[in-house]
Amino acid sequence: MKQSKARIAIALAVLVFTASGCGVVNRIRSKNELNEAARSYREGNYVQAEQHSRKALELDPDSKAAPLFIARTIHAQYRPGVAAADNIAKAREAIEAYRQILQNDPQNDEAYRAIAFLYERIKEDAKLREWITARANDGGAAPEKRAEAYIVLASKDWNCSFQLTEPNKVTTSTGEGKASVTYNKPKDPKDFETAQVCVKRGLEEVENALRFDQNSEPAWSYKTNLLLEAVKLAKMEGRADQEAELDKQRAAAQKRTDELSEANRKKQAEEEAKKAASPPTS
């Protein structure tokens, strides 16, 4: 009886050792596949690189690197600016691969930014706004990342208004090298309403950005530009009092933008001077 138990124990030990050994071997093979994937990627053989990446994940399902390799190699197969159905499908496949990464690593910036980039390139604006808004509203995200998301949204709303107001700018010479600038309402009333909506929403977004990062130069810059859009809209409606108040706010925002820009410039100059003065490392 004791001998039988001893044999069972030995058999189990051999089984565990063998399974453990297989795991080690597979992890080594997985790393080799990733090395091959990297080589193929550098050579521009993205399909082959994807195949090596998938084989690496198959050999080591716990690999943290393999899913990112897979997403990158699919992404590399997408051709920006090509509207062919199979190319758009490849972009969506890459988006899904990056989403899988975020399921295990919600704060992976590469995956987050790649998805935003791909949505923008395939012109899926509604999904892009939804994606960025989710980051802006994510209570688990770092404050600076939420601020950045709100700034991106504000930038898009500024552009929405600018594309509708700027074509309606009228410049009139007043003599002696001076000019007067006015803005006419867009011919389509819906365009004016759209610009109003974009400016209102953009200013709300930029205030949210400043709530998370009061000293964000980009946030203050977009606040300045959005207030300028608001000035244009007031000018179009002939609301002089509103125009004057909005322009006062714009000037204050511009002043703060300039202050932050100068402070950042000095900080960068000081950091570069410190690097230049530091002795070279051996």
Side-chain angles (χ1 to χ4, degrees), residues 28-94:
I28 293 172
R29 289 175 177 171
S30 177
K31 289 181 180 179
N32 289 337
E33 288 291 341
L34 290 179
N35 288 334
E36 287 300 311
R39 183 181 61 79
S40 296
Y41 189 96
R42 289 193 298 270
E43 294 173 354
N45 298 323
Y46 303 128
V47 174
Q48 190 175 53
E50 181 189 348
Q51 292 169 349
H52 284 299
S53 301
R54 291 191 182 280
K55 183 63 177 178
L57 185 61
E58 180 183 327
L59 288 165
D60 182 9
D62 294 327
S63 171
K64 293 182 179 180
L68 192 54
F69 268 67
I70 292 171
R72 287 172 177 170
T73 55
I74 298 171
H75 188 164
Q77 293 172 60
Y78 166 69
R79 295 162 292 162
V82 178
D86 61 338
N87 192 47
I88 301 300
K90 186 59 66 176
R92 293 195 179 114
E93 185 182 350

Short mmCIF file of all heavy atoms in Angstrom, two decimals, residues 28-94:
data_model
loop_
_atom_site.label_atom_id
_atom_site.label_comp_id
_atom_site.label_asym_id
_atom_site.label_seq_id
_atom_site.Cartn_x
_atom_site.Cartn_y
_atom_site.Cartn_z
N ILE A 28 9.43 30.47 -23.82
CA ILE A 28 10.64 30.75 -24.62
C ILE A 28 10.28 30.81 -26.10
O ILE A 28 10.72 31.72 -26.82
CB ILE A 28 11.72 29.68 -24.37
CG1 ILE A 28 12.23 29.77 -22.93
CG2 ILE A 28 12.88 29.84 -25.36
CD1 ILE A 28 13.16 28.64 -22.53
N ARG A 29 9.47 29.86 -26.54
CA ARG A 29 9.04 29.85 -27.95
C ARG A 29 8.21 31.10 -28.26
O ARG A 29 8.31 31.67 -29.36
CB ARG A 29 8.23 28.59 -28.23
CG ARG A 29 9.06 27.30 -28.26
CD ARG A 29 8.18 26.09 -28.43
NE ARG A 29 8.96 24.86 -28.54
CZ ARG A 29 8.44 23.64 -28.53
NH1 ARG A 29 7.11 23.49 -28.40
NH2 ARG A 29 9.22 22.58 -28.65
N SER A 30 7.38 31.50 -27.30
CA SER A 30 6.56 32.70 -27.49
C SER A 30 7.45 33.93 -27.69
O SER A 30 7.19 34.75 -28.59
CB SER A 30 5.65 32.90 -26.28
OG SER A 30 4.90 34.09 -26.41
N LYS A 31 8.50 34.05 -26.86
CA LYS A 31 9.41 35.19 -27.01
C LYS A 31 10.12 35.16 -28.36
O LYS A 31 10.35 36.20 -28.98
CB LYS A 31 10.42 35.18 -25.87
CG LYS A 31 9.82 35.57 -24.52
CD LYS A 31 10.86 35.57 -23.42
CE LYS A 31 10.23 35.94 -22.08
NZ LYS A 31 11.22 35.94 -20.98
N ASN A 32 10.46 33.97 -28.80
CA ASN A 32 11.10 33.84 -30.12
C ASN A 32 10.15 34.30 -31.22
O ASN A 32 10.57 34.95 -32.19
CB ASN A 32 11.53 32.39 -30.36
CG ASN A 32 12.72 31.97 -29.50
OD1 ASN A 32 13.49 32.83 -29.05
ND2 ASN A 32 12.88 30.67 -29.28
N GLU A 33 8.88 33.95 -31.08
CA GLU A 33 7.88 34.37 -32.07
C GLU A 33 7.74 35.89 -32.07
O GLU A 33 7.60 36.51 -33.13
CB GLU A 33 6.53 33.72 -31.78
CG GLU A 33 6.46 32.24 -32.07
CD GLU A 33 6.52 31.91 -33.55
OE1 GLU A 33 6.24 32.80 -34.38
OE2 GLU A 33 6.85 30.75 -33.89
N LEU A 34 7.80 36.49 -30.88
CA LEU A 34 7.70 37.95 -30.81
C LEU A 34 8.93 38.61 -31.44
O LEU A 34 8.82 39.66 -32.08
CB LEU A 34 7.56 38.41 -29.35
CG LEU A 34 6.21 38.08 -28.69
CD1 LEU A 34 6.21 38.55 -27.24
CD2 LEU A 34 5.05 38.71 -29.45
N ASN A 35 10.08 37.98 -31.27
CA ASN A 35 11.29 38.50 -31.92
C ASN A 35 11.15 38.44 -33.45
O ASN A 35 11.54 39.36 -34.16
CB ASN A 35 12.52 37.70 -31.48
CG ASN A 35 12.92 38.00 -30.05
OD1 ASN A 35 12.63 39.08 -29.54
ND2 ASN A 35 13.57 37.05 -29.40
N GLU A 36 10.57 37.34 -33.92
CA GLU A 36 10.34 37.20 -35.36
C GLU A 36 9.30 38.22 -35.83
O GLU A 36 9.39 38.78 -36.93
CB GLU A 36 9.87 35.79 -35.68
CG GLU A 36 10.97 34.74 -35.59
CD GLU A 36 12.11 35.02 -36.56
OE1 GLU A 36 11.83 35.27 -37.75
OE2 GLU A 36 13.27 35.02 -36.11
N ALA A 37 8.30 38.46 -34.99
CA ALA A 37 7.27 39.45 -35.32
C ALA A 37 7.89 40.83 -35.46
O ALA A 37 7.59 41.58 -36.40
CB ALA A 37 6.18 39.46 -34.25
N ALA A 38 8.78 41.16 -34.53
CA ALA A 38 9.45 42.46 -34.56
C ALA A 38 10.31 42.59 -35.82
O ALA A 38 10.35 43.65 -36.46
CB ALA A 38 10.30 42.64 -33.31
N ARG A 39 11.01 41.51 -36.16
CA ARG A 39 11.86 41.54 -37.36
C ARG A 39 11.01 41.74 -38.61
O ARG A 39 11.33 42.56 -39.48
CB ARG A 39 12.65 40.23 -37.47
CG ARG A 39 13.61 40.19 -38.65
CD ARG A 39 14.36 38.86 -38.72
NE ARG A 39 13.44 37.75 -38.88
CZ ARG A 39 12.88 37.40 -40.06
NH1 ARG A 39 13.16 38.10 -41.16
NH2 ARG A 39 12.06 36.38 -40.13
N SER A 40 9.91 40.99 -38.71
CA SER A 40 9.02 41.11 -39.87
C SER A 40 8.41 42.51 -39.95
O SER A 40 8.26 43.10 -41.03
CB SER A 40 7.90 40.07 -39.80
OG SER A 40 8.43 38.76 -39.88
N TYR A 41 8.08 43.06 -38.78
CA TYR A 41 7.49 44.41 -38.73
C TYR A 41 8.48 45.44 -39.27
O TYR A 41 8.12 46.29 -40.08
CB TYR A 41 7.11 44.74 -37.28
CG TYR A 41 6.31 46.01 -37.12
CD1 TYR A 41 4.92 45.97 -37.04
CD2 TYR A 41 6.95 47.25 -37.04
CE1 TYR A 41 4.19 47.14 -36.89
CE2 TYR A 41 6.22 48.42 -36.89
CZ TYR A 41 4.84 48.36 -36.81
OH TYR A 41 4.12 49.51 -36.66
N ARG A 42 9.73 45.34 -38.81
CA ARG A 42 10.76 46.28 -39.29
C ARG A 42 10.97 46.18 -40.78
O ARG A 42 11.28 47.19 -41.44
CB ARG A 42 12.08 46.03 -38.55
CG ARG A 42 12.08 46.44 -37.08
CD ARG A 42 13.50 46.45 -36.53
NE ARG A 42 14.11 45.13 -36.57
CZ ARG A 42 14.04 44.25 -35.60
NH1 ARG A 42 13.37 44.51 -34.50
NH2 ARG A 42 14.64 43.07 -35.71
N GLU A 43 10.79 45.00 -41.31
CA GLU A 43 10.97 44.79 -42.75
C GLU A 43 9.73 45.14 -43.56
O GLU A 43 9.73 45.04 -44.79
CB GLU A 43 11.37 43.33 -43.00
CG GLU A 43 12.74 42.97 -42.43
CD GLU A 43 13.05 41.48 -42.54
OE1 GLU A 43 12.14 40.72 -42.95
OE2 GLU A 43 14.19 41.08 -42.22
N GLY A 44 8.66 45.52 -42.87
CA GLY A 44 7.43 45.90 -43.55
C GLY A 44 6.53 44.74 -43.91
O GLY A 44 5.55 44.91 -44.63
N ASN A 45 6.85 43.54 -43.38
CA ASN A 45 6.00 42.36 -43.63
C ASN A 45 4.97 42.24 -42.51
O ASN A 45 5.08 41.40 -41.61
CB ASN A 45 6.86 41.10 -43.70
CG ASN A 45 7.86 41.16 -44.84
OD1 ASN A 45 7.57 41.69 -45.91
ND2 ASN A 45 9.07 40.63 -44.62
N TYR A 46 3.94 43.11 -42.57
CA TYR A 46 3.01 43.23 -41.44
C TYR A 46 2.10 42.02 -41.28
O TYR A 46 1.76 41.66 -40.15
CB TYR A 46 2.18 44.51 -41.61
CG TYR A 46 3.03 45.75 -41.71
CD1 TYR A 46 2.86 46.65 -42.77
CD2 TYR A 46 4.02 46.02 -40.77
CE1 TYR A 46 3.65 47.79 -42.87
CE2 TYR A 46 4.82 47.15 -40.87
CZ TYR A 46 4.63 48.03 -41.92
OH TYR A 46 5.41 49.14 -42.03
N VAL A 47 1.71 41.39 -42.37
CA VAL A 47 0.87 40.19 -42.27
C VAL A 47 1.65 39.08 -41.59
O VAL A 47 1.13 38.39 -40.70
CB VAL A 47 0.39 39.75 -43.67
CG1 VAL A 47 -0.36 38.41 -43.57
CG2 VAL A 47 -0.52 40.81 -44.28
N GLN A 48 2.88 38.91 -42.00
CA GLN A 48 3.73 37.88 -41.38
C GLN A 48 3.99 38.22 -39.91
O GLN A 48 4.00 37.33 -39.05
CB GLN A 48 5.06 37.80 -42.14
CG GLN A 48 5.91 36.60 -41.74
CD GLN A 48 7.16 36.49 -42.60
OE1 GLN A 48 7.93 37.46 -42.72
NE2 GLN A 48 7.37 35.34 -43.22
N ALA A 49 4.16 39.49 -39.63
CA ALA A 49 4.38 39.92 -38.24
C ALA A 49 3.16 39.60 -37.39
O ALA A 49 3.29 39.16 -36.24
CB ALA A 49 4.66 41.42 -38.20
N GLU A 50 1.98 39.79 -37.95
CA GLU A 50 0.75 39.45 -37.22
C GLU A 50 0.68 37.95 -36.94
O GLU A 50 0.30 37.52 -35.83
CB GLU A 50 -0.48 39.88 -38.02
CG GLU A 50 -1.79 39.58 -37.30
CD GLU A 50 -3.02 39.80 -38.17
OE1 GLU A 50 -2.89 40.40 -39.25
OE2 GLU A 50 -4.11 39.34 -37.77
N GLN A 51 1.05 37.16 -37.92
CA GLN A 51 1.02 35.70 -37.74
C GLN A 51 1.95 35.26 -36.61
O GLN A 51 1.58 34.43 -35.78
CB GLN A 51 1.40 35.01 -39.06
CG GLN A 51 0.38 35.18 -40.16
CD GLN A 51 0.88 34.73 -41.52
OE1 GLN A 51 2.07 34.46 -41.70
NE2 GLN A 51 -0.02 34.65 -42.50
N HIS A 52 3.15 35.82 -36.57
CA HIS A 52 4.09 35.49 -35.50
C HIS A 52 3.54 35.95 -34.14
O HIS A 52 3.69 35.24 -33.14
CB HIS A 52 5.45 36.16 -35.75
CG HIS A 52 6.27 35.49 -36.80
ND1 HIS A 52 6.70 34.18 -36.69
CD2 HIS A 52 6.76 35.95 -38.00
CE1 HIS A 52 7.41 33.86 -37.77
NE2 HIS A 52 7.46 34.91 -38.57
N SER A 53 2.89 37.12 -34.13
CA SER A 53 2.33 37.64 -32.88
C SER A 53 1.22 36.75 -32.35
O SER A 53 1.13 36.49 -31.14
CB SER A 53 1.80 39.06 -33.09
OG SER A 53 2.83 39.92 -33.55
N ARG A 54 0.37 36.27 -33.25
CA ARG A 54 -0.73 35.40 -32.82
C ARG A 54 -0.19 34.05 -32.34
O ARG A 54 -0.71 33.47 -31.38
CB ARG A 54 -1.71 35.20 -33.98
CG ARG A 54 -2.50 36.47 -34.32
CD ARG A 54 -3.64 36.19 -35.28
NE ARG A 54 -4.36 37.39 -35.64
CZ ARG A 54 -5.29 37.99 -34.87
NH1 ARG A 54 -5.59 37.45 -33.69
NH2 ARG A 54 -5.91 39.07 -35.27
N LYS A 55 0.86 33.56 -32.98
CA LYS A 55 1.48 32.31 -32.55
C LYS A 55 2.09 32.48 -31.15
O LYS A 55 1.99 31.58 -30.30
CB LYS A 55 2.57 31.90 -33.54
CG LYS A 55 3.24 30.56 -33.22
CD LYS A 55 2.26 29.40 -33.28
CE LYS A 55 2.93 28.08 -33.04
NZ LYS A 55 1.98 26.94 -33.04
N ALA A 56 2.65 33.65 -30.90
CA ALA A 56 3.24 33.93 -29.58
C ALA A 56 2.17 33.90 -28.50
O ALA A 56 2.38 33.34 -27.42
CB ALA A 56 3.92 35.30 -29.60
N LEU A 57 1.00 34.47 -28.78
CA LEU A 57 -0.09 34.46 -27.81
C LEU A 57 -0.64 33.05 -27.61
O LEU A 57 -1.01 32.67 -26.50
CB LEU A 57 -1.20 35.40 -28.26
CG LEU A 57 -2.36 35.58 -27.27
CD1 LEU A 57 -1.86 36.17 -25.95
CD2 LEU A 57 -3.44 36.48 -27.88
N GLU A 58 -0.66 32.30 -28.67
CA GLU A 58 -1.14 30.91 -28.59
C GLU A 58 -0.21 30.08 -27.68
O GLU A 58 -0.67 29.27 -26.88
CB GLU A 58 -1.18 30.31 -29.99
CG GLU A 58 -1.67 28.87 -30.05
CD GLU A 58 -1.62 28.30 -31.46
OE1 GLU A 58 -1.83 29.08 -32.42
OE2 GLU A 58 -1.34 27.10 -31.60
N LEU A 59 1.09 30.32 -27.81
CA LEU A 59 2.06 29.59 -26.99
C LEU A 59 2.05 30.06 -25.52
O LEU A 59 2.27 29.27 -24.61
CB LEU A 59 3.47 29.77 -27.57
CG LEU A 59 3.74 29.04 -28.87
CD1 LEU A 59 5.01 29.58 -29.53
CD2 LEU A 59 3.87 27.54 -28.62
N ASP A 60 1.79 31.35 -25.34
CA ASP A 60 1.77 31.90 -23.98
C ASP A 60 0.57 32.83 -23.83
O ASP A 60 0.68 34.04 -24.02
CB ASP A 60 3.07 32.68 -23.71
CG ASP A 60 3.13 33.23 -22.29
OD1 ASP A 60 2.26 32.87 -21.47
OD2 ASP A 60 4.04 34.03 -22.01
N PRO A 61 -0.59 32.26 -23.47
CA PRO A 61 -1.82 33.05 -23.33
C PRO A 61 -1.73 34.16 -22.29
O PRO A 61 -2.54 35.09 -22.30
CB PRO A 61 -2.87 32.00 -22.93
CG PRO A 61 -2.32 30.71 -23.41
CD PRO A 61 -0.83 30.83 -23.25
N ASP A 62 -0.76 34.06 -21.37
CA ASP A 62 -0.61 35.07 -20.33
C ASP A 62 0.34 36.20 -20.75
O ASP A 62 0.59 37.12 -19.96
CB ASP A 62 -0.08 34.44 -19.05
CG ASP A 62 -1.08 33.46 -18.44
OD1 ASP A 62 -2.29 33.71 -18.56
OD2 ASP A 62 -0.63 32.45 -17.85
N SER A 63 0.85 36.13 -21.96
CA SER A 63 1.78 37.16 -22.43
C SER A 63 1.11 38.52 -22.47
O SER A 63 0.02 38.68 -23.01
CB SER A 63 2.29 36.80 -23.83
OG SER A 63 3.03 37.87 -24.38
N LYS A 64 1.77 39.51 -21.89
CA LYS A 64 1.26 40.88 -21.93
C LYS A 64 1.69 41.60 -23.20
O LYS A 64 1.04 42.56 -23.64
CB LYS A 64 1.74 41.65 -20.70
CG LYS A 64 1.15 41.14 -19.39
CD LYS A 64 1.61 41.98 -18.21
CE LYS A 64 0.99 41.47 -16.92
NZ LYS A 64 1.43 42.27 -15.73
N ALA A 65 2.80 41.15 -23.77
CA ALA A 65 3.33 41.81 -24.96
C ALA A 65 2.62 41.38 -26.24
O ALA A 65 2.41 42.19 -27.15
CB ALA A 65 4.83 41.55 -25.07
N ALA A 66 2.24 40.10 -26.33
CA ALA A 66 1.68 39.56 -27.57
C ALA A 66 0.42 40.30 -28.04
O ALA A 66 0.31 40.63 -29.24
CB ALA A 66 1.40 38.07 -27.42
N PRO A 67 -0.57 40.59 -27.17
CA PRO A 67 -1.75 41.31 -27.64
C PRO A 67 -1.43 42.67 -28.24
O PRO A 67 -2.05 43.09 -29.22
CB PRO A 67 -2.60 41.45 -26.37
CG PRO A 67 -2.19 40.30 -25.51
CD PRO A 67 -0.71 40.17 -25.76
N LEU A 68 -0.43 43.35 -27.65
CA LEU A 68 -0.04 44.66 -28.19
C LEU A 68 0.64 44.50 -29.54
O LEU A 68 0.41 45.30 -30.46
CB LEU A 68 0.88 45.37 -27.20
CG LEU A 68 1.15 46.85 -27.47
CD1 LEU A 68 -0.14 47.63 -27.57
CD2 LEU A 68 2.03 47.43 -26.36
N PHE A 69 1.46 43.46 -29.68
CA PHE A 69 2.08 43.17 -30.97
C PHE A 69 1.00 42.91 -32.03
O PHE A 69 1.10 43.38 -33.17
CB PHE A 69 3.00 41.95 -30.86
CG PHE A 69 4.43 42.29 -30.53
CD1 PHE A 69 4.77 42.83 -29.30
CD2 PHE A 69 5.43 42.06 -31.45
CE1 PHE A 69 6.09 43.13 -28.99
CE2 PHE A 69 6.76 42.36 -31.16
CZ PHE A 69 7.09 42.91 -29.92
N ILE A 70 -0.02 42.14 -31.64
CA ILE A 70 -1.10 41.81 -32.58
C ILE A 70 -1.79 43.10 -33.04
O ILE A 70 -2.01 43.32 -34.24
CB ILE A 70 -2.12 40.85 -31.94
CG1 ILE A 70 -1.47 39.48 -31.72
CG2 ILE A 70 -3.37 40.71 -32.81
CD1 ILE A 70 -2.32 38.53 -30.88
N ALA A 71 -2.15 43.95 -32.08
CA ALA A 71 -2.85 45.20 -32.42
C ALA A 71 -1.99 46.08 -33.32
O ALA A 71 -2.47 46.65 -34.31
CB ALA A 71 -3.21 45.93 -31.13
N ARG A 72 -0.71 46.20 -32.99
CA ARG A 72 0.18 47.05 -33.79
C ARG A 72 0.32 46.53 -35.22
O ARG A 72 0.35 47.32 -36.18
CB ARG A 72 1.57 47.10 -33.15
CG ARG A 72 1.66 47.93 -31.89
CD ARG A 72 3.01 47.75 -31.24
NE ARG A 72 3.19 48.57 -30.05
CZ ARG A 72 4.20 48.44 -29.21
NH1 ARG A 72 5.13 47.50 -29.44
NH2 ARG A 72 4.32 49.22 -28.15
N THR A 73 0.44 45.22 -35.36
CA THR A 73 0.64 44.66 -36.71
C THR A 73 -0.62 44.78 -37.56
O THR A 73 -0.53 44.98 -38.78
CB THR A 73 1.09 43.19 -36.63
OG1 THR A 73 0.15 42.44 -35.85
CG2 THR A 73 2.46 43.08 -35.99
N ILE A 74 -1.79 44.66 -36.93
CA ILE A 74 -3.04 44.88 -37.68
C ILE A 74 -3.15 46.35 -38.07
O ILE A 74 -3.49 46.70 -39.21
CB ILE A 74 -4.26 44.46 -36.85
CG1 ILE A 74 -4.21 42.96 -36.54
CG2 ILE A 74 -5.56 44.78 -37.61
CD1 ILE A 74 -5.26 42.51 -35.55
N HIS A 75 -2.84 47.23 -37.11
CA HIS A 75 -2.88 48.68 -37.35
C HIS A 75 -1.98 49.05 -38.52
O HIS A 75 -2.35 49.88 -39.37
CB HIS A 75 -2.44 49.40 -36.07
CG HIS A 75 -2.60 50.88 -36.11
ND1 HIS A 75 -2.56 51.66 -34.98
CD2 HIS A 75 -2.77 51.75 -37.14
CE1 HIS A 75 -2.72 52.93 -35.31
NE2 HIS A 75 -2.84 53.00 -36.63
N ALA A 76 -0.80 48.44 -38.58
CA ALA A 76 0.16 48.76 -39.64
C ALA A 76 -0.36 48.38 -41.02
O ALA A 76 0.08 48.94 -42.03
CB ALA A 76 1.48 48.05 -39.37
N GLN A 77 -1.30 47.44 -41.07
CA GLN A 77 -1.85 47.01 -42.36
C GLN A 77 -2.91 47.99 -42.88
O GLN A 77 -3.29 47.94 -44.06
CB GLN A 77 -2.46 45.62 -42.22
CG GLN A 77 -1.43 44.53 -41.95
CD GLN A 77 -2.07 43.20 -41.62
OE1 GLN A 77 -2.82 42.63 -42.42
NE2 GLN A 77 -1.78 42.66 -40.43
N TYR A 78 -3.40 48.87 -41.99
CA TYR A 78 -4.36 49.89 -42.42
C TYR A 78 -3.64 50.98 -43.19
O TYR A 78 -2.58 51.45 -42.78
CB TYR A 78 -5.07 50.48 -41.21
CG TYR A 78 -5.82 51.76 -41.53
CD1 TYR A 78 -6.96 51.74 -42.32
CD2 TYR A 78 -5.35 52.99 -41.06
CE1 TYR A 78 -7.63 52.92 -42.64
CE2 TYR A 78 -6.01 54.17 -41.37
CZ TYR A 78 -7.15 54.13 -42.16
OH TYR A 78 -7.80 55.27 -42.48
N ARG A 79 -4.22 51.41 -44.31
CA ARG A 79 -3.62 52.44 -45.16
C ARG A 79 -4.41 53.74 -45.02
O ARG A 79 -5.53 53.83 -45.55
CB ARG A 79 -3.59 51.98 -46.62
CG ARG A 79 -2.69 50.78 -46.88
CD ARG A 79 -3.03 50.11 -48.20
NE ARG A 79 -4.36 49.48 -48.16
CZ ARG A 79 -5.06 49.13 -49.22
NH1 ARG A 79 -4.58 49.35 -50.43
NH2 ARG A 79 -6.24 48.56 -49.09
N PRO A 80 -3.89 54.73 -44.30
CA PRO A 80 -4.61 55.99 -44.10
C PRO A 80 -5.01 56.64 -45.42
O PRO A 80 -4.22 56.69 -46.36
CB PRO A 80 -3.60 56.86 -43.34
CG PRO A 80 -2.71 55.87 -42.66
CD PRO A 80 -2.59 54.72 -43.62
N GLY A 81 -6.24 57.12 -45.47
CA GLY A 81 -6.72 57.83 -46.65
C GLY A 81 -7.30 56.96 -47.74
O GLY A 81 -7.86 57.47 -48.72
N VAL A 82 -7.21 55.64 -47.58
CA VAL A 82 -7.77 54.72 -48.58
C VAL A 82 -9.15 54.28 -48.11
O VAL A 82 -9.30 53.66 -47.06
CB VAL A 82 -6.87 53.49 -48.78
CG1 VAL A 82 -7.49 52.52 -49.78
CG2 VAL A 82 -5.48 53.93 -49.25
N ALA A 83 -10.17 54.61 -48.90
CA ALA A 83 -11.56 54.39 -48.47
C ALA A 83 -12.11 53.02 -48.86
O ALA A 83 -13.31 52.76 -48.69
CB ALA A 83 -12.46 55.48 -49.05
N ALA A 84 -11.27 52.13 -49.38
CA ALA A 84 -11.73 50.80 -49.77
C ALA A 84 -12.32 50.06 -48.57
O ALA A 84 -11.83 50.19 -47.44
CB ALA A 84 -10.57 50.00 -50.35
N ALA A 85 -13.36 49.28 -48.82
CA ALA A 85 -14.08 48.60 -47.75
C ALA A 85 -13.17 47.68 -46.93
O ALA A 85 -13.26 47.63 -45.70
CB ALA A 85 -15.24 47.79 -48.33
N ASP A 86 -12.27 46.95 -47.62
CA ASP A 86 -11.39 46.04 -46.89
C ASP A 86 -10.39 46.79 -46.02
O ASP A 86 -9.99 46.31 -44.94
CB ASP A 86 -10.65 45.11 -47.86
CG ASP A 86 -9.78 45.86 -48.86
OD1 ASP A 86 -10.04 47.06 -49.09
OD2 ASP A 86 -8.85 45.24 -49.41
N ASN A 87 -10.02 48.00 -46.44
CA ASN A 87 -9.09 48.81 -45.65
C ASN A 87 -9.78 49.36 -44.40
O ASN A 87 -9.20 49.38 -43.31
CB ASN A 87 -8.55 49.96 -46.50
CG ASN A 87 -7.37 50.65 -45.83
OD1 ASN A 87 -6.45 50.01 -45.33
ND2 ASN A 87 -7.42 51.97 -45.80
N ILE A 88 -11.03 49.82 -44.56
CA ILE A 88 -11.80 50.30 -43.41
C ILE A 88 -12.03 49.15 -42.43
O ILE A 88 -11.95 49.33 -41.20
CB ILE A 88 -13.16 50.88 -43.86
CG1 ILE A 88 -12.95 52.04 -44.84
CG2 ILE A 88 -13.96 51.35 -42.65
CD1 ILE A 88 -12.15 53.19 -44.28
N ALA A 89 -12.28 47.96 -42.96
CA ALA A 89 -12.47 46.78 -42.11
C ALA A 89 -11.21 46.48 -41.32
O ALA A 89 -11.27 46.06 -40.15
CB ALA A 89 -12.86 45.58 -42.97
N LYS A 90 -10.06 46.71 -41.94
CA LYS A 90 -8.79 46.47 -41.24
C LYS A 90 -8.62 47.46 -40.08
O LYS A 90 -8.14 47.08 -39.00
CB LYS A 90 -7.63 46.60 -42.22
CG LYS A 90 -6.27 46.23 -41.64
CD LYS A 90 -6.23 44.79 -41.15
CE LYS A 90 -6.36 43.79 -42.27
NZ LYS A 90 -6.21 42.39 -41.76
N ALA A 91 -9.04 48.70 -40.29
CA ALA A 91 -8.98 49.69 -39.22
C ALA A 91 -9.87 49.27 -38.05
O ALA A 91 -9.47 49.37 -36.88
CB ALA A 91 -9.40 51.06 -39.74
N ARG A 92 -11.06 48.79 -38.37
CA ARG A 92 -11.99 48.35 -37.32
C ARG A 92 -11.44 47.12 -36.59
O ARG A 92 -11.65 46.96 -35.38
CB ARG A 92 -13.36 48.06 -37.91
CG ARG A 92 -14.05 49.32 -38.45
CD ARG A 92 -15.52 49.09 -38.69
NE ARG A 92 -16.16 50.30 -39.17
CZ ARG A 92 -16.69 50.46 -40.39
NH1 ARG A 92 -16.67 49.44 -41.23
NH2 ARG A 92 -17.27 51.59 -40.74
N GLU A 93 -10.76 46.26 -37.32
CA GLU A 93 -10.15 45.09 -36.70
C GLU A 93 -9.06 45.53 -35.71
O GLU A 93 -8.94 44.96 -34.61
CB GLU A 93 -9.55 44.19 -37.78
CG GLU A 93 -9.00 42.87 -37.24
CD GLU A 93 -8.35 42.01 -38.33
OE1 GLU A 93 -8.49 42.34 -39.53
OE2 GLU A 93 -7.69 41.01 -37.97
N ALA A 94 -8.30 46.54 -36.09
CA ALA A 94 -7.26 47.07 -35.20
C ALA A 94 -7.89 47.71 -33.97
O ALA A 94 -7.41 47.53 -32.85
CB ALA A 94 -6.40 48.09 -35.94
#
